[in-house]
Amino acid sequence: MIKKLKIIRDGIKSKYKVARAFFKETYNKHIIYLYVTTALVVNLIIEMLARRSFIKGIYFLISSPYVFICNAVIILITLSVTLLMRRRFFGLTLISTIWLICGITNAILLSNRVTPFTATDFMLIDSAFGVINKYFSPIQIVLVVIALLAVVAGLVVLFIKAPKVNHKIKYPRNIIAIILIFGIGLGSINLGVGSKLISLKFGELRVSYFDYGFVYCFSNSLINTGIQKPNSYSGENIKKIVKKDNEKDKLNKAKKKPNIIFLQLESFFDMNNLKGVKLSKNPVPNFERLMKEYPSGYLNVPIVGAGTVNTEFEVMTGINLDFFGPGEYPFKTKLVDTTCESIAYNLKEYGYTCHAIHDNTATFYGRNKVFANLGYDTFTTIENMNIDEFTPMGWAKDHFLTKYIMQALKSTKKQDYIYTISVQGHGSYPTSGDYDYPIKVKGVDDEGVKNQYQYYAWQTNEMDKFIGKLTKRLKKFDEDVILVMYGDHLPSFGLSGEDLVNGDVYQTQYVIWSNFKNDYYTNEDIEAYRLESKILGGLNMNSGKINNYTQTHKGEDQKTYDEGLKSLSYDLLYGDNYATGGQNPYKATDLQLGLNKVTVSSVTPLYDEAGTVYVYGKHFTSYSKVYINDEKQKTVYVDPNTLMIVYPDLKNGDELSVYQQNSDEHVLSKTDPYTFNGDELQANMTTKAKKNKKK
């Protein structure tokens, strides 16, 4: 027995020596073989992860060999830079690990939303931290952190232990080799584009990623950003467009100036449009009734399952998102530091005050900064709301929005424009049967999917009740109101066109309700970026170059219209502003967070043993935090007019402020400093006591 074990051990040692000698030979003399093999293997693993199947990954390799090789060549290009390193094995491992992490991230995102991982997602990390607990359990988050730490530790050890090449690096030769690999890669991609095996333009993002491969599509999203300069772009061409659209160069007189409300309903659609699914009751009776009684139709939106702000972008600006790079979020790229024509700026020309309302955090997608660049005067978010009812997944219930919509309408004597962003229908949707679902689903075999459908039906039913109550309140309002309601995108169920009655996953539904009789609008299916012009055009409002262009050219063929709109959009966002006299006419607003400013009116210490201090003021919420001399205090929210802290050391001259914040890093607003004067407080208390004694 011992003899047999010795033979086995010697055999393993022998094979190890052979493998080590082979690796050493390859590593030092035939490194290109190692590079090519690594690129092919890494790409195969990434595609298996994306498809969540070993077999489907192999099928992609066999069915689309040229596309597979193009993706592998892109990985090879990134690996080739390590030819200039002595620790090449470390470099290879590091770059391969980065690609694999991207592939794993893509697989995780596809399991929670419909859209794949793009380069723009790196800009959404701050927003992701705010909602990660709604998608993953604490244990899962901890495991991910541990895994990442293990990877980092492994790379550190590898850097120390990794072998170096045993010869002098010939840098000129290796630089030429890198250039050749780059040339071969770019040539392969251009050949693929020319033969239409791959495309520079993506239609449905998820489908494109599966057709053209993750590596190619992700790289495209990294490089291809913004609006590419149109071939026909020139000052002369833009001036022709502008002159043709508005020869008089003045505002039309509006037929009517009602209050205008846009209500963007998170992941909202009519489940009755799902084929093969039977519901125990209709989840959206109010919405269906309104669609029959008022102008309505399908709304073609730019995204599926996620990416709410891209629908917002199209609706607010009138610009087609297709003009931008694949998977881009203009809210996180261009609009961070650039103002842009929007429905808010356009309505300001007709005397409107512009509000935005969202029952989620202000910093989600960077709206707290972007909305200033889109012309809004106020932005009311959950940090300035008193909401105490949430879905099982932690999203605010939408019925609270009615209160804040009505407050915005009553906040001015003139007309108000209000863009309201709902959140209740947001994913993820639980697969468990832990809830007593009020609407049952039949026709679905998978129990997890069935529970997701039942949960979604439950939430959309509550959103529908909110719609019914909101329209009842607005019907009694003593000013004219137009309410435009629509879903921002379909929910993240992984649906295809074959699952839907209308056959298109990029379509939601919209309805235009009003509390007065009007014949300004008709039923039609419409692109999201044309919705603004439909609403303003019906009222004869032509402000804004893009709005006016769409109104003027709405009858033209799509290609001609798109060419002009792209040139105009490029001019206003990236070009020389020929359309507006050579300068951007839009100035960022001084955006007020919250419809009403938070204020501090008085501070009253109880002078008890604990050091209890009451802070009085207006418009406090559970997000209000007391700071004394710029130091944050543990704050207890009592009611909208009262906060409580424990601070035994309060003394004359201490400065106190109340901050509205969703984290220490995200302070949204703060009150003017309130200087505490204990002597004055004591004097006032003595005076009051004397008056009470006399009484």
Side-chain angles (χ1 to χ4, degrees):
M1 185 67 180
I2 295 174
K3 190 175 181 181
K4 286 183 179 180
L5 289 173
K6 187 177 179 181
I7 293 172
I8 293 171
R9 184 192 64 188
D10 292 342
I12 292 172
K13 280 185 177 181
S14 176
K15 290 178 180 178
Y16 171 74
K17 287 180 180 179
V18 171
R20 186 175 180 182
F22 176 78
F23 172 79
K24 190 175 181 180
E25 179 75 10
T26 303
Y27 185 59
N28 288 289
K29 294 184 179 180
H30 308 294
I31 190 69
I32 193 63
Y33 299 142
L34 183 59
Y35 279 52
V36 171
T37 303
T38 301
L40 291 169
V41 170
V42 168
N43 188 48
L44 182 60
I45 293 171
I46 288 173
E47 293 304 326
M48 288 174 177
L49 288 168
R51 291 160 172 77
R52 285 182 282 183
S53 169
F54 174 83
I55 299 298
K56 289 180 180 179
I58 297 295
Y59 179 76
F60 175 65
L61 187 158
I62 296 171
S63 62
S64 305
Y66 191 84
V67 175
F68 184 90
I69 289 171
C70 283
N71 280 262
V73 168
I74 293 172
I75 296 175
L76 181 62
I77 289 172
T78 61
L79 296 175
S80 67
V81 296
T82 62
L83 286 171
L84 304 177
M85 297 171 60
R86 297 209 59 191
R87 286 188 173 87
R88 287 176 186 167
F89 187 70
F90 169 76
L92 281 169
T93 305
L94 175 63
I95 294 172
S96 299
T97 300
I98 292 171
W99 277 115
L100 289 171
I101 289 174
C102 289
I104 293 168
T105 303
N106 181 54
I108 292 171
L109 289 180
L110 286 175
S111 67
N112 288 282
R113 71 183 196 190
V114 178
T115 50
F117 182 45
T118 67
T120 310
D121 283 309
F122 287 119
M123 299 180 181
L124 304 179
I125 290 176
D126 57 339
S127 297
F129 285 139
V131 299
I132 192 171
N133 62 312
K134 294 179 174 66
Y135 290 93
F136 301 102
S137 68
I139 294 175
Q140 289 174 321
I141 295 170
V142 170
L143 289 175
V144 169
V145 172
I146 291 173
L148 289 174
L149 290 174
V151 168
V152 172
L155 289 172
V156 170
V157 172
L158 184 64
F159 179 78
I160 298 169
K161 300 285 187 179
K164 299 179 182 179
V165 290
N166 60 9
H167 59 271
K168 187 177 180 181
I169 297 175
K170 297 180 180 179
Y171 288 103
R173 184 193 66 180
N174 289 5
I175 290 172
I176 292 171
I178 292 171
I179 293 171
L180 284 174
I181 292 171
F182 266 80
I184 292 169
L186 295 176
S188 301
I189 291 168
N190 287 330
L191 181 61
V193 171
S195 60
K196 296 184 178 180
L197 291 171
I198 53 178
S199 176
L200 291 173
K201 294 293 291 181
F202 297 165
E204 185 176 342
L205 199 61
R206 182 187 179 98
V207 173
S208 296
Y209 266 64
F210 279 102
D211 288 347
Y212 309 137
F214 169 80
V215 173
Y216 168 74
C217 292
F218 180 81
S219 302
N220 196 340
S221 73
L222 190 65
I223 298 169
N224 185 7
T225 60
I227 302 176
Q228 300 301 312
K229 184 177 180 180
N231 294 328
S232 61
Y233 178 72
S234 66
E236 184 180 355
N237 184 39
I238 294 297
K239 287 173 184 176
K240 281 181 181 178
I241 292 174
V242 174
K243 186 177 181 181
K244 182 180 177 182
D245 290 347
N246 193 355
E247 294 179 358
K248 297 179 182 179
D249 194 28
K250 67 177 184 179
L251 292 182
N252 291 341
K253 183 178 180 181
K255 293 179 184 176
K256 197 177 188 71
K257 293 202 288 186
N259 296 290
I260 299 173
I261 304 170
F262 277 69
L263 176 55
Q264 181 173 281
L265 297 160
E266 173 62 43
S267 301
F268 185 86
F269 95 114
D270 186 348
M271 285 191 74
N272 294 300
N273 289 337
L274 270 178
K275 290 181 181 178
V277 174
K278 294 182 180 180
L279 304 164
S280 60
K281 76 172 186 178
N282 184 4
V284 290
N286 288 309
F287 192 78
E288 285 190 348
R289 175 179 55 80
L290 294 177
M291 286 198 69
K292 290 177 182 177
E293 296 176 357
Y294 294 88
S296 60
Y298 283 107
L299 184 71
N300 298 312
V301 296
I303 36 87
V304 182
T308 297
V309 288
N310 279 351
T311 298
E312 279 174 51
F313 172 79
E314 286 202 348
V315 172
M316 289 183 184
T317 66
I319 298 174
N320 188 347
L321 193 74
D322 288 348
F323 300 154
F324 290 81
E328 185 169 351
Y329 291 82
F331 269 38
K332 299 297 288 185
T333 53
K334 191 61 180 174
L335 294 188
V336 170
D337 52 14
T338 304
T339 57
C340 175
E341 178 187 326
S342 70
I343 185 172
Y345 281 121
N346 293 339
L347 284 172
K348 279 177 179 293
E349 294 194 47
Y350 285 92
Y352 282 72
T353 302
C354 302
H355 313 277
I357 300 172
H358 182 35
D359 50 353
N360 197 23
T361 59
T363 53
F364 202 42
Y365 287 116
R367 291 183 177 102
N368 59 312
K369 296 179 180 178
V370 171
F371 280 179
N373 291 331
L374 289 173
Y376 289 91
D377 299 304
T378 71
F379 183 26
T380 303
T381 61
I382 197 168
E383 291 89 356
N384 290 96
M385 296 177 175
N386 286 299
I387 293 178
D388 56 11
E389 192 177 351
F390 298 84
T391 70
M393 303 309 292
W395 303 105
K397 295 287 186 77
D398 285 342
H399 68 81
F400 288 95
L401 291 170
T402 300
K403 170 185 175 182
Y404 297 99
I405 290 171
M406 299 309 297
Q407 284 182 357
L409 285 173
K410 295 174 183 177
S411 66
T412 67
K413 292 182 179 180
K414 57 184 181 178
Q415 290 79 13
D416 293 288
Y417 155 67
I418 306 167
Y419 197 98
T420 307
I421 306 156
S422 136
V423 78
Q424 184 168 349
H426 206 295
S428 62
Y429 311 110
T431 57
S432 67
D434 297 340
Y435 309 102
D436 183 17
Y437 297 115
I439 299 177
K440 308 299 180 185
V441 170
K442 292 183 179 179
V444 181
D445 296 328
D446 187 299
E447 194 66 22
V449 173
K450 179 181 176 181
N451 287 326
Q452 286 185 316
Y453 283 3
Q454 291 180 151
Y455 176 87
Y456 178 79
W458 174 21
Q459 298 309 317
T460 52
N461 182 240
E462 291 193 355
M463 294 168 74
D464 185 73
K465 290 175 182 176
F466 152 61
I467 290 169
K469 290 179 180 178
L470 175 62
T471 50
K472 283 183 180 179
R473 287 287 300 275
L474 292 174
K475 192 172 184 178
K476 297 176 182 178
F477 192 59
D478 58 3
E479 296 177 15
D480 291 338
V481 177
I482 287 177
L483 172 64
V484 187
M485 296 172 281
Y486 58 90
D488 59 344
H489 54 71
L490 294 192
S492 54
F493 289 147
L495 299 172
S496 68
E498 296 176 354
D499 300 316
L500 303 170
V501 172
N502 56 304
D504 190 344
V505 295
Y506 283 92
Q507 285 186 331
T508 62
Q509 292 169 302
Y510 77 94
V511 60
I512 304 171
W513 179 93
S514 61
N515 64 353
F516 61 93
K517 279 192 173 184
N518 77 74
D519 57 357
Y520 304 146
Y521 309 108
T522 57
N523 292 349
E524 67 172 321
D525 297 345
I526 191 172
E527 299 287 343
Y529 57 86
R530 292 192 181 211
L531 187 59
E532 172 201 352
S533 294
K534 179 180 177 72
I535 302 303
L536 299 193
L539 299 170
N540 199 39
M541 297 178 179
N542 67 331
S543 50
K545 302 301 181 184
I546 289 174
N547 169 46
N548 195 38
Y549 174 83
T550 295
Q551 289 182 26
T552 306
H553 296 264
K554 62 182 179 181
E556 288 186 359
D557 67 279
Q558 190 69 30
K559 184 179 179 182
T560 303
Y561 165 78
D562 281 345
E563 287 176 353
L565 182 62
K566 184 175 182 179
S567 292
L568 196 54
S569 301
Y570 176 84
D571 179 61
L572 295 174
L573 282 177
Y574 298 92
D576 297 313
N577 296 111
Y578 294 125
T580 53
Q583 62 181 4
N584 185 341
Y586 302 109
K587 305 298 181 185
T589 58
D590 184 14
L591 184 67
Q592 178 177 303
L593 275 299
L595 185 66
N596 301 298
K597 285 188 175 181
V598 178
T599 59
V600 175
S601 57
S602 64
V603 176
T604 304
L606 296 187
Y607 297 109
D608 57 2
E609 290 184 8
T612 306
V613 179
Y614 282 98
V615 179
Y616 299 102
K618 288 184 178 180
H619 311 300
F620 297 147
T621 72
S622 59
Y623 289 87
S624 300
K625 306 299 175 187
V626 176
Y627 280 70
I628 296 179
N629 301 326
D630 296 325
E631 290 187 6
K632 184 179 177 182
Q633 308 299 316
K634 187 176 181 180
T635 306
V636 176
Y637 169 76
V638 179
D639 60 45
N641 304 112
T642 314
L643 301 173
M644 187 189 80
I645 61 172
V646 174
Y647 194 79
D649 300 325
L650 189 66
K651 57 185 182 297
N652 288 348
D654 282 342
E655 288 196 341
L656 181 147
S657 293
V658 173
Y659 290 30
Q660 297 300 117
Q661 60 185 100
N662 55 37
S663 70
D664 288 342
E665 294 77 31
H666 293 140
V667 174
L668 304 173
S669 64
K670 59 182 178 180
T671 63
D672 293 332
Y674 178 94
T675 303
F676 176 71
N677 188 328
D679 296 336
E680 183 179 335
L681 176 65
Q682 290 284 6
N684 290 336
M685 290 174 66
T686 302
T687 302
K688 286 182 181 179
K690 287 180 179 179
K691 287 181 179 179
N692 290 334
K693 190 175 181 181
K694 287 181 180 180
K695 289 180 181 179

